């Protein structure tokens, strides 16, 4: 028999018991679909995070407080209280720092915001007028926080589109009041949508004057972040060093390893985010891959049952001169057909699931050609690996004993 004859006969055999065949490939279908969907979700999430970080600007430095550090300008990231407005002023005015164009001191916390019968929990950020330039914010209506608002500790707020939707629906929010920590603020502006999800959703934010946030809303004198816009991407490293040495002097720290702050560039943040999402995606894919092994074991069990049921047929074929290689090839072909078919169905199901998840979570739809190719390779390999033993067992049966089998 040539291979085409073996292939046709294998298909005929598998279609004799459609229910058993369907159950045999179910594990492969679920495994392949899960792997593709999870890899797609991971890549889509990573792409969304990268887009949101890059939207802030390629020449942005973020200075955060921390309790300890490593190196002249990089401390261990943390939630310390070591940065102040005086630090931001020193960076902006120092003759030592020649590579920056603008500084934005910031205080940020999540808070419950109430208006009328509606409320939402969102990010409230205390900012100065420089924030809009440093973070590339655009105003859809009204205006942003001004120097006068900051100096007079004005009770005003600029809100994102998501906050508008949550609190006011389709109504115009300008001139309306909201309450944060029992303080009433008047809405003076609405930002242009930038997109995002979860804690990275820049549309789900409220901006208030820095002095108002520190002294009236949160009661804190320290800053959560100082954002600095470098003059260009080319001077990012020099800017990090200049700011680092200035802050060491400002905080009277002689040993750079004990720096109580950290300075991260957009590339640092991007690399960290990519590494985190990559690890998470690999972990989820590893868990999903377990179902592939389970599916492979299921196929092996089905093939072993098939060998037992067809013992007399195998004996008869061997008595008529069928070679061991032919018997092995047929059962191996049946196993590969099962897994390859399961792989094909799993790819289609995985792509459909990925699209559904991306639609529901508003993340980019990203299906990796690499993951699809890997799915076919893995499914075929599973067919060969788990079909080999039943195929060998079938081909090793003695014709006389096989014919006697009841």
């Amino acid at each position: 028999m040539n291979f085409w004859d073996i292939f046709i006969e294998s298909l005929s055999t598998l279609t004799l018991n459609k229910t058993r065949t369907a159950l045999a490939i179910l594990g492969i279908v679920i495994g392949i679909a899960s792997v593709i969907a999870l890899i797609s979700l991971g890549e889509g999430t990573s792409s969304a995070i990268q887009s949101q970080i890059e939207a802030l600007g390629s020449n942005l430095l973020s200075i955060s407080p921390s309790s300890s550090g490593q190196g002249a300008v990089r401390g261990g990231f943390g939630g310390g209280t070591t940065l102040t407005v005086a630090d931001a002023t020193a960076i902006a005015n120092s003759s030592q720092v020649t590579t920056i164009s603008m500084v934005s001191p910031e205080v940020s916390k999540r808070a419950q915001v109430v208006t009328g019968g509606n409320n939402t929990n969102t990010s409230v950020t205390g900012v100065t007028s420089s924030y809009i330039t440093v973070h590339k914010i655009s105003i859809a209506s009204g205006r942003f926080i001004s120097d006068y608002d900051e100096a007079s500790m004005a009770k005003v707020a600029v809100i994102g589109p998501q906050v508008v939707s949550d609190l006011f629906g389709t109504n115009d929010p300008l001139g309306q009041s909201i309450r944060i920590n029992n303080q009433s603020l008047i809405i003076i502006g609405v930002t242009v949508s930038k997109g995002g999800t979860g804690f990275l959703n820049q549309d789900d934010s409220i901006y208030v004057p820095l002095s108002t946030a520190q002294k009236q809303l949160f009661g804190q004198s320290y800053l959560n972040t100082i954002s600095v816009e470098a003059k260009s991407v080319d001077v990012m490293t020099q800017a990090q060093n200049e700011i680092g040495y200035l802050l060491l002097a400002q905080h009277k720290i002689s040993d750079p390893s004990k720096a109580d702050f950290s300075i991260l560039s957009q590339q640092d943040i991007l690399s960290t985010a990519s590494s985190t999402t990559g690890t998470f995606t690999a972990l989820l894919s590893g868990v999903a891959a377990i179902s592939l092994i389970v599916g492979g074991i299921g196929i092996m069990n089905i093939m072993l049952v098939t060998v037992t049921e067809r013992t007399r047929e195998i004996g008869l074929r061997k008595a008529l001169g069928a070679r061991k290689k032919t018997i092995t090839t047929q059962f191996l072909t049946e196993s590969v057909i099962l897994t390859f078919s399961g792989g094909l169905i799993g790819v289609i199901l995985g792509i459909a699931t990925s699209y559904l998840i991306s639609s529901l979570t508003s993340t980019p739809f990203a299906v990796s050609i690499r993951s699809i190719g890997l799915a076919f390779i893995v499914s075929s390999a599973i067919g060969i690996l788990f079909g080999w033993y039943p195929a060998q067992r079938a081909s090793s049966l003695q014709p006389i004993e096989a014919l006697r089998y009841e």
Side-chain angles (χ1 to χ4, degrees), residues 176-198:
Q176 302 294 320
S177 65
I178 55 176
R179 293 188 66 82
I180 303 174
N181 291 347
N182 296 319
Q183 297 291 325
S184 180
L185 296 92
I186 302 299
I187 297 172
I188 60 171
V190 178
T191 63
V192 172
S193 176
K194 295 187 76 172
T197 56

Side-chain angles (χ1 to χ4, degrees), residues 64-85:
S64 302
S66 59
S67 57
S68 61
Q70 295 178 354
V73 296
R74 297 171 188 258
F77 182 83
T81 60
T82 56
L83 293 181
T84 64
V85 174

Side-chain angles (χ1 to χ4, degrees), residues 27-28 288-299 382 386:
I28 300 297
I290 294 175
S291 62
L292 285 174
I293 299 175
V294 175
I297 294 173
I299 285 178
I382 286 175
F386 288 95

Side-chain angles (χ1 to χ4, degrees), residues 37-97:
L38 289 173
I39 291 178
S40 173
L41 177 61
E43 292 185 350
T45 302
S46 178
S47 176
I49 292 173
Q50 289 182 22
S51 297
Q52 291 164 33
I53 292 174
E54 290 171 351
L56 297 175
S58 59
N59 56 338
L60 182 67
L61 295 173
S62 180
I63 309 170
S64 302
S66 59
S67 57
S68 61
Q70 295 178 354
V73 296
R74 297 171 188 258
F77 182 83
T81 60
T82 56
L83 293 181
T84 64
V85 174
D87 293 327
T89 303
I91 295 170
N93 299 331
S94 174
S95 59
Q96 295 178 234
V97 184

Side-chain angles (χ1 to χ4, degrees), residues 32 292 339 373-383:
I32 295 294
L292 285 174
T339 52
L374 181 64
F376 279 112
I377 293 173
V378 169
S379 61
S380 299
I382 286 175

Side-chain angles (χ1 to χ4, degrees), residues 30-335:
I30 294 173
I32 295 294
S34 299
V35 170
I36 290 179
L38 289 173
I39 291 178
S40 173
L41 177 61
E43 292 185 350
T45 302
S46 178
S47 176
I49 292 173
Q50 289 182 22
S51 297
Q52 291 164 33
I53 292 174
E54 290 171 351
L56 297 175
S58 59
N59 56 338
L60 182 67
L61 295 173
S62 180
I63 309 170
S64 302
S66 59
S67 57
S68 61
Q70 295 178 354
V73 296
R74 297 171 188 258
F77 182 83
T81 60
T82 56
L83 293 181
T84 64
V85 174
D87 293 327
T89 303
I91 295 170
N93 299 331
S94 174
S95 59
Q96 295 178 234
V97 184
T98 61
T99 52
I100 67 169
S101 57
M102 195 162 288
V103 178
S104 171
E106 301 158 19
V107 169
S108 183
K109 284 189 177 181
R110 294 195 70 83
Q112 199 72 17
V113 183
V114 181
T115 180
N118 299 322
N119 69 89
T120 185
N121 187 281
T122 187
S123 172
V124 179
T125 306
V127 302
T128 61
S129 60
S130 60
Y131 185 94
I132 190 172
T133 303
V134 172
H135 289 279
K136 307 295 186 291
I137 300 292
S138 299
I139 296 297
S141 60
R143 65 177 179 86
F144 197 68
I145 306 298
S146 67
D147 291 333
Y148 177 79
D149 295 327
E150 160 64 14
S152 62
M153 209 182 301
K155 292 186 177 181
V156 294
V158 176
I159 63 178
Q162 184 62 52
V163 179
V164 174
S165 176
D166 292 341
L167 295 180
F168 300 100
T170 57
N171 298 325
D172 184 4
L174 292 181
Q176 302 294 320
S177 65
I178 55 176
R179 293 188 66 82
I180 303 174
N181 291 347
N182 296 319
Q183 297 291 325
S184 180
L185 296 92
I186 302 299
I187 297 172
I188 60 171
V190 178
T191 63
V192 172
S193 176
K194 295 187 76 172
T197 56
F199 288 99
L200 289 175
N201 189 352
Q202 298 175 66
D203 294 343
D204 189 18
S205 297
I206 295 177
Y207 307 103
V208 301
L210 178 63
S211 56
T212 303
Q214 285 188 310
K215 298 177 182 178
Q216 298 193 50
L217 299 184
F218 305 137
Q220 67 180 56
S221 59
Y222 59 89
L223 300 175
N224 295 113
T225 308
I226 300 176
S227 297
V228 179
E229 183 182 49
K231 290 182 178 179
S232 70
V233 177
D234 297 332
V235 298
M236 292 287 281
T237 302
Q238 184 181 347
Q240 283 179 292
N241 288 324
E242 289 178 350
I243 295 170
Y245 288 122
L246 173 67
L247 288 179
L248 287 173
Q250 182 81 5
H251 294 185
K252 296 179 173 57
I253 298 174
S254 58
D255 184 356
S257 65
K258 296 181 180 179
D260 56 1
F261 58 89
S262 63
I263 305 177
L264 294 176
S265 67
Q266 288 296 85
Q267 191 58 48
D268 293 330
I269 297 172
L270 202 58
S271 297
T272 301
S274 297
S275 176
T276 301
T277 54
T279 301
F280 186 62
T281 301
L283 177 63
L284 290 178
S285 301
V287 173
I290 294 175
S291 62
L292 285 174
I293 299 175
V294 175
I297 294 173
I299 285 178
M300 183 172 67
N301 288 337
I302 291 295
M303 294 306 297
L304 286 172
V305 171
T306 302
V307 169
T308 302
E309 289 181 345
R310 295 162 63 187
T311 299
R312 288 176 62 85
E313 173 198 331
I314 295 168
L316 181 59
R317 292 179 61 184
K318 295 192 75 173
L320 294 174
R323 292 182 300 171
K324 182 177 180 179
K325 180 181 178 181
T326 303
I327 303 296
T328 301
T329 302
Q330 180 175 349
F331 279 88
L332 202 54
T333 301
E334 290 178 19
S335 178

